[in-house]
Amino acid sequence: MDNLKLRRFKLHNLAFAISLVSACFAEQVSAYAETSNSPNSDVTDNRSDSTQENAGNSIDAPLAFGFFDRKNLAELPKEKQIHVPASCRGVWITPIPMSNSKQSNSSINESSTTTRSDYAYYDPEQGSVLTGNVRISQPNHLMTADKATLDPSQTIATASGNVKIASPGFVSYGGTAVYNLETKTGSIKNTQYIAEDRQAHGSAGEVIRESDHLTRIIDSEYSTCEPDTLGWKLKSHQLILNQETGRGVARDARLYIGQVPIFYTPYFNFPIDDRRASGVLIPSLRYSSHNGLDFALPYYLNLAPNYDATLTPRIITNRNPMLDGEFRFLTQHLGTGSIAGSFLPNDPEYSNLDRKELRFLHTMAFNPNWDSRINLNYVSDKDFFSDVGQTLGPINNLNQERSATLNYHNNAWGLNGSLQALNYQGLDKTVPDISRPYGRVQLKLNYDQGSLNGLERFANNDTGYFQREINDGSGPQTNGIRQYNTLGVKYNFREPSGYMIPTASIRTLLYQDQTNNNNRTPTIVVPQFTFDSGLIFERDSDSYLQTLEPRFFYAYSPYVNQNALPVFDTTYSSSSYNQLFNPSRFVGNDRLDDNNFATLGLTSRVYDTNGLERLRIGVADRFYFNNRETNLFVGDAIGTARSSGIGLDLGATWDKHLSYDGSSLWLASGKFAANSSDIHYTTDSGRVLSLGYIFRRTVTEDHQIGSRQATASFVQPVYNNFRIMGSVQYDYQAKAARDALIGIDYDSCCWAVAVYGRSYYNDFEDPRTTTAHTGIVLQLTFKGLASNSESPLTALLKQKIYGFTQVDSSWQKR
């Protein structure tokens, strides 16, 4: 049989192939011009108009694949263009996108095979030979080569010369290949490959496609870095990529940075997509003055769809090896929760004692009305968190909570309640017993039913048994039952022009002292009346809306002597602008206020045409008609001033980037009492600057303790994907920075590095008598090898830098 020049050769069966060859014998057809580009070549497109309409995701389109920089990417059809991160100069693209594997093609016969070539030779006994721009395609599968032979069954294709085999999101190209058209499996030798979903590429002695989702790569190099860049690569004797599980497994693997090997492992499991799966998380390397080098390598275990675990072995050079772990579970009938812990044996820096931590958290919803929560914590010593905690800084909770809570919610009835058993593990043994918090069993019920613009009824009950042992003689032991009740009504009158809310209530306190079998049951009853009202005047123009809002607030409740009552869980409220309109001077239910005051306020707001509040300024003063005689303890100062002094509230939003919030308080004598100011500046490019200042004068009458601190934080992008960032909290009274952080990070296309230095004091430490904790943290991330998770370093930055969550998200997606 003579060689024939063919346009298309379909291999449904032998009879169809012979008829197709005969039909094409007399037809003059131009050769099919195929477009391809190597990983570093520019894109050229020699398609005729007849093939142009099949461009894009069609398997019949020219084979455009490889690494495309921004310029080359713009020349591709729109449907092939994808977002290029700012940290990358381009992206890897395969001929068949990953989305093709998810599309339903019920109209396509999955067994159909279509071939194209410049020339074809067919022999019923020896098979077929295709030469010149050979193209064998099936739904979601494609092979091209200079030459291909098909066995007599037309099933096994052997290709040579510029061989390329493509499937959704994956392409390999090399010298020779064997491909089974029926099972869509095969192998290609001396090859390079691209995995688009993970933006990975590499080379191998052989790529074996064992099924639609499983690819085995022998003697491979694997990387998610751009070509010709100094990045990382993973060399392994065998690499298995499983698109069904989203995992890659490397055996006998070495990790290189550039040409330098830095790590060897006989087995390594890593993610090849964004699914939750077992694998190494982001490691961290830290240095601190008390720990030396501290290296942590978390490993995530995806045990089942409804539970997982994370194990974090740590090497701390000044201490012994340490292990952190967390197990999380989600069940259908037994709720959700986590068990976490840490263990450091025989710590040489802590008198060779074992350092331990254990946490158990469980929540459960029984039905829409009932749910529960259990929170149990244990820590071996008060210095555990600052010494070896994974939070990169102090957790200053010296009282570890141990509680069990049962909650009830019924919005239809306006009823909510909880029953809680609560105790604490005191970590600081130097704290006297009288200063430790009470353990308790507490029942709380809240009822609120009525109209938001009409009559509203409410009732509250807080009944608890409080107990605290005094074993060191630091004070009298007082245990017993406290019951607090409120019963009241209020009328909500609200109109666009203003509001008026009178409220009347009866409050009661009942104590039963059970210390030393003392069954005293003092009962306090105090009525209370409040009246809150305001008007809203508006002035509208084409460019803004301005309001003027006068406000009047009055509160009255008589004085009843409560000096004999204990204090279980109550403290004084902090002074603030909003506190001028609050009838209670206490946080907690151990005291019932005596009040007879009126607060006058005036607020003006300016809104732009989009409804954004551009400016807010408020001024208020509270006028007292009686002394404030109710206090927490005998000997506390009684308030006698007839005015609180002027309070000022100010807020401004210049644009979406710059805003200010602040408030100031003056005493009746005119002295400055308190100030809180914060200014925030952010940009779309990821820049953040925040400045804050807090001042409080010691005011005995208002039970205010003096303090003076300034805060500042910033994030500043600099040259070529670098950022510098930092924060500081400066205590003027101690003349020291209580917390200072400075760092730099770099984000490239396939790896990221961050280095931070920190100096801090715990809240209970006095900078004038103690030395600051210092440390340096190094975090190195190889993108494509570690699963995505929030590192302790990221959690710290979110806590210390205002707006970090938003700017970091935009920085990563830029």
Side-chain angles (χ1 to χ4, degrees):
M1 184 175 181
D2 296 334
N3 289 340
L4 299 176
K5 191 173 185 179
L6 300 179
R7 170 183 248 182
R8 181 165 292 185
F9 190 7
K10 291 195 174 182
L11 301 176
H12 291 302
N13 51 56
L14 180 59
F16 183 80
I18 295 175
S19 64
L20 179 60
V21 171
S22 301
C24 293
F25 179 76
E27 182 180 357
Q28 180 68 28
V29 180
S30 60
Y32 184 88
E34 181 178 62
T35 299
S36 67
N37 67 298
S38 65
N40 297 300
S41 66
D42 291 335
V43 179
T44 58
D45 196 342
N46 298 323
R47 291 174 290 177
S48 64
D49 292 340
S50 62
T51 62
Q52 189 75 21
E53 64 181 5
N54 291 324
N57 291 339
S58 171
I59 298 178
D60 291 332
L63 196 62
F65 73 97
F67 185 79
F68 289 75
D69 59 25
R70 298 174 188 273
K71 176 183 176 182
N72 297 148
L73 194 64
E75 298 177 9
L76 287 178
K78 184 177 181 179
E79 57 269 23
K80 289 286 287 184
Q81 297 181 18
I82 61 177
H83 171 69
V84 180
S87 58
C88 302
R89 70 171 192 266
V91 292
W92 296 96
I93 291 182
T94 56
I96 308 174
M98 277 298 299
S99 59
N100 277 34
S101 64
K102 302 176 183 179
Q103 295 172 352
S104 175
N105 296 310
S106 57
S107 61
I108 298 177
N109 181 0
E110 290 293 334
S111 64
S112 65
T113 302
T114 302
T115 70
R116 290 180 179 179
S117 64
D118 291 342
Y119 299 96
Y121 174 84
Y122 174 72
D123 187 303
E125 296 182 357
Q126 297 182 3
S128 305
V129 178
L130 310 177
T131 59
N133 296 313
V134 177
R135 184 185 186 96
I136 303 176
S137 62
Q138 297 173 306
N140 287 338
H141 294 274
L142 176 65
M143 183 175 74
T144 66
D146 293 338
K147 180 181 179 181
T149 62
L150 295 167
D151 68 348
S153 68
Q154 308 294 293
T155 300
I156 306 299
T158 303
S160 60
N162 297 314
V163 179
K164 304 173 186 68
I165 299 179
S167 58
F170 191 86
V171 61
S172 55
Y173 45 101
T176 61
V178 177
Y179 188 74
N180 189 312
L181 299 173
E182 182 176 330
T183 63
K184 302 179 183 65
T185 59
S187 65
I188 181 171
K189 294 185 177 181
N190 300 320
T191 181
Q192 293 180 309
Y193 61 91
I194 300 169
E196 183 177 335
D197 56 338
R198 199 65 178 178
Q199 284 296 294
H201 67 105
S203 61
E206 184 177 13
V207 174
I208 305 170
R209 185 162 184 82
E210 298 185 350
S211 67
D212 277 347
H213 61 268
L214 189 64
T215 302
R216 187 183 305 273
I217 305 174
I218 307 301
D219 295 330
S220 72
E221 287 189 3
Y222 173 90
S223 179
T224 60
C225 296
E226 300 163 313
D228 306 324
T229 60
L230 180 61
W232 64 267
K233 57 186 175 183
L234 186 69
K235 289 187 176 182
S236 60
H237 173 65
Q238 181 175 255
L239 179 65
I240 301 174
L241 304 178
N242 192 326
Q243 293 179 336
E244 186 174 69
T245 63
R247 304 300 300 179
V249 173
R251 300 185 185 276
D252 191 21
R254 291 174 174 82
L255 180 63
Y256 287 75
I257 296 181
Q259 301 300 322
V260 180
I262 63 168
F263 181 73
Y264 169 80
T265 178
Y267 174 87
F268 185 66
N269 188 302
F270 59 95
I272 60 175
D273 59 24
D274 294 328
R275 278 179 288 178
R276 186 171 66 95
S278 300
V280 174
L281 302 180
I282 299 174
S284 67
L285 179 64
R286 317 174 201 171
Y287 175 82
S288 65
S289 55
H290 56 282
N291 281 350
L293 289 177
D294 181 354
F295 177 72
L297 184 66
Y299 190 86
Y300 177 77
L301 297 167
N302 183 29
L303 303 175
N306 62 327
Y307 56 90
D308 59 19
T310 303
L311 295 176
T312 307
R314 295 170 62 186
I315 302 297
I316 307 175
T317 56
N318 289 357
R319 306 178 191 269
N320 285 331
M322 184 176 181
L323 180 65
D324 299 328
E326 181 183 31
F327 174 77
R328 303 186 303 175
F329 58 91
L330 170 64
T331 66
Q332 183 176 1
H333 302 293
L334 298 178
T336 66
S338 64
I339 302 172
S342 303
F343 181 66
L344 170 60
N346 304 320
D347 185 359
E349 294 290 315
Y350 208 76
S351 304
N352 290 317
L353 297 176
D354 294 342
R355 317 290 297 277
K356 293 165 286 189
E357 178 195 16
L358 184 63
R359 304 189 305 274
F360 175 72
L361 180 64
H362 180 266
T363 60
M364 183 174 178
F366 303 99
N367 55 48
N369 301 116
W370 292 92
D371 63 76
S372 66
R373 184 177 189 269
I374 299 175
N375 184 17
L376 304 176
N377 298 276
Y378 165 80
V379 178
S380 59
D381 57 86
K382 71 180 181 66
D383 300 311
F384 179 90
F385 296 115
S386 58
D387 283 353
V388 294
Q390 275 282 52
T391 59
L392 301 183
I395 295 180
N396 300 318
N397 188 356
L398 295 181
N399 297 296
Q400 293 295 300
E401 179 180 331
R402 298 168 179 180
S403 65
T405 308
L406 179 65
N407 299 307
Y408 176 77
H409 314 275
N410 192 320
N411 293 331
W413 294 355
L415 183 64
N416 295 284
S418 67
L419 176 63
Q420 182 184 61
L422 172 65
N423 207 341
Y424 296 93
Q425 178 200 10
L427 298 182
D428 192 349
K429 305 303 181 184
T430 64
V431 175
D433 290 345
I434 196 66
S435 298
R436 297 180 183 275
Y438 277 88
R440 68 201 69 180
V441 177
Q442 199 164 10
L443 173 68
K444 294 183 178 181
L445 296 173
N446 299 299
Y447 169 78
D448 196 332
Q449 187 74 285
S451 172
L452 293 177
N453 196 2
L455 189 64
E456 183 176 347
R457 305 168 298 278
F458 62 91
N460 301 288
N461 172 271
D462 178 357
T463 302
Y465 173 75
F466 297 82
Q467 181 172 350
R468 179 180 62 191
E469 301 293 333
I470 304 296
N471 299 315
D472 59 0
S474 55
Q477 179 170 300
T478 303
N479 301 323
I481 296 173
R482 182 198 70 199
Q483 185 181 87
Y484 168 85
N485 297 285
T486 302
L487 179 65
V489 294
K490 64 181 176 180
Y491 188 83
N492 297 299
F493 176 81
R494 302 176 187 272
E495 295 290 341
S497 58
Y499 62 93
M500 184 172 59
I501 307 174
T503 304
S505 62
I506 294 291
R507 300 172 297 159
T508 67
L509 267 179
L510 183 148
Y511 281 89
Q512 185 176 24
D513 188 349
Q514 296 186 340
T515 305
N516 299 322
N517 296 319
N518 183 354
N519 291 320
R520 292 187 307 114
T521 57
T523 301
I524 306 297
V525 179
V526 178
Q528 179 172 272
F529 173 77
T530 64
F531 182 82
D532 192 7
S533 62
L535 295 173
I536 302 175
F537 301 95
E538 295 183 352
R539 181 173 63 180
D540 200 358
S541 71
D542 294 337
S543 57
Y544 66 90
L545 172 68
Q546 182 183 5
T547 69
L548 191 64
E549 306 169 26
R551 183 179 180 183
F552 173 78
F553 182 85
Y554 176 75
Y556 174 78
S557 52
Y559 168 73
V560 177
N561 191 322
Q562 302 167 52
N563 291 336
L565 303 183
V567 177
F568 291 140
D569 62 352
T570 302
T571 186
Y572 290 104
S573 299
S574 299
S575 299
S576 67
Y577 180 84
N578 291 330
Q579 183 64 22
L580 296 176
F581 300 90
N582 190 338
S584 178
R585 302 192 304 275
F586 304 102
V587 178
N589 293 326
D590 287 307
R591 292 293 183 269
L592 303 180
D593 304 75
D594 60 314
N595 284 318
N596 190 5
F597 72 84
T599 299
L600 297 178
L602 182 64
T603 300
S604 181
R605 308 173 197 269
V606 177
Y607 299 90
D608 64 15
T609 55
N610 296 318
L612 176 66
E613 184 184 273
R614 292 289 190 174
L615 180 65
R616 180 190 73 255
I617 182 169
V619 61
D621 197 352
R622 176 187 283 186
F623 300 95
Y624 297 103
F625 306 114
N626 284 355
N627 294 341
R628 280 78 63 206
E629 299 184 63
T630 304
N631 290 314
L632 283 180
F633 305 103
V634 176
D636 287 355
I638 294 176
T640 59
R642 287 297 173 256
S643 169
S644 65
I646 297 294
L648 179 67
D649 177 47
L650 182 62
T653 303
W654 281 268
D655 53 33
K656 66 178 182 178
H657 302 298
L658 185 62
S659 64
Y660 169 84
D661 276 291
S663 64
S664 299
L665 300 174
W666 285 263
L667 299 175
S669 62
K671 290 184 178 181
F672 200 45
N675 174 264
S676 175
S677 298
D678 292 285
I679 186 168
H680 306 295
Y681 175 73
T682 61
T683 67
D684 295 335
S685 62
R687 182 183 295 113
V688 173
L689 176 62
S690 297
L691 301 173
Y693 179 74
I694 298 174
F695 168 78
R696 291 186 181 277
R697 184 186 299 276
T698 298
V699 182
T700 303
E701 183 175 300
D702 292 337
H703 314 285
Q704 178 172 283
I705 300 174
S707 66
R708 186 184 174 202
Q709 295 188 6
T711 61
S713 62
F714 73 96
V715 177
Q716 176 61 53
V718 290
Y719 173 75
N720 196 22
N721 299 323
F722 281 93
R723 291 187 302 181
I724 56 174
M725 56 192 69
S727 68
V728 63
Q729 176 187 350
Y730 187 81
D731 188 337
Y732 286 94
Q733 291 180 325
K735 294 182 173 56
R738 296 202 66 92
D739 199 324
L741 169 74
I742 187 69
I744 185 170
D745 68 0
Y746 173 76
D747 182 46
S748 78
C749 195
C750 65
W751 60 280
V753 62
V755 181
Y756 293 85
R758 190 176 186 209
S759 172
Y760 62 88
Y761 296 90
N762 288 324
D763 285 347
F764 55 85
E765 293 176 332
D766 187 345
R768 290 166 290 195
T769 58
T770 58
T771 303
H773 303 269
T774 60
I776 297 176
V777 179
L778 170 67
Q779 180 175 286
L780 183 62
T781 304
F782 299 108
K783 298 180 181 180
L785 284 184
S787 298
N788 296 324
S789 68
E790 180 176 284
S791 67
L793 184 58
T794 301
L796 175 66
L797 295 174
K798 287 181 178 180
Q799 176 187 353
K800 295 298 179 182
I801 299 178
Y802 175 88
F804 180 81
T805 300
Q806 291 76 16
V807 299
D808 190 58
S809 177
S810 60
W811 173 262
Q812 300 297 336
K813 297 176 181 178
R814 69 197 190 284

